[in-house]
Every structure is written in C-alpha cells, then in structure tokens.
Amino acid sequence: MLYTIISEYDIFTHNDPPTQFMDISNGKVEYTVRGKNRVVKSLFSTDPKMYLDEKYQPGRRLG
C-alpha cells in the first residue's frame, strides 16, 4: 500500500514514450518525440536563467 498524494495512474503507468536528451548551451533538455515534433519534458542546467526561457518549458516544441 502506498500513502502518497500522487495518483496511482501517475505512479503505475508504463505507456510513456521513451525520452531522449539533447545537449544545449549550459545544460541538457529531456524530450519525447510525438509524430514529427520533439516535445520538452525536462531541463537540466546549472544556469537559473535557462529555467525562465519559455522555449525550454515542459510541453513546448523544440525547433
């Protein structure tokens, strides 16, 4: 039994597409491929300004 605020569907779903990583200046972007689009899943960077850049927000398409 799990005591958590996270939905059981978020914990036990395994239908997520595989993620890939792309090197960018000052970090890495984790993304998934949906059709012909690369969609941002997460950003890894030591530069705080990178997290404010709208093009690296989760759900955005990478160009």
Side-chain angles (χ1 to χ4, degrees), residues 24-43:
I24 56 172
S25 62
N26 297 326
K28 291 184 180 278
V29 173
E30 180 182 15
Y31 66 93
T32 58
V33 177
R34 294 186 185 162
K36 295 182 180 180
N37 298 319
R38 295 178 296 173
V39 180
V40 175
K41 186 171 181 179
S42 187
L43 171 67

Side-chain angles (χ1 to χ4, degrees), residues 18-60:
T19 60
Q20 298 177 5
F21 292 88
M22 178 173 66
D23 290 326
I24 56 172
S25 62
N26 297 326
K28 291 184 180 278
V29 173
E30 180 182 15
Y31 66 93
T32 58
V33 177
R34 294 186 185 162
K36 295 182 180 180
N37 298 319
R38 295 178 296 173
V39 180
V40 175
K41 186 171 181 179
S42 187
L43 171 67
F44 302 96
S45 177
T46 57
D47 183 4
K49 290 182 184 178
M50 297 284 293
Y51 291 93
L52 299 175
D53 193 340
E54 291 183 5
K55 65 183 173 184
Y56 299 123
Q57 290 181 350
R60 297 288 292 227

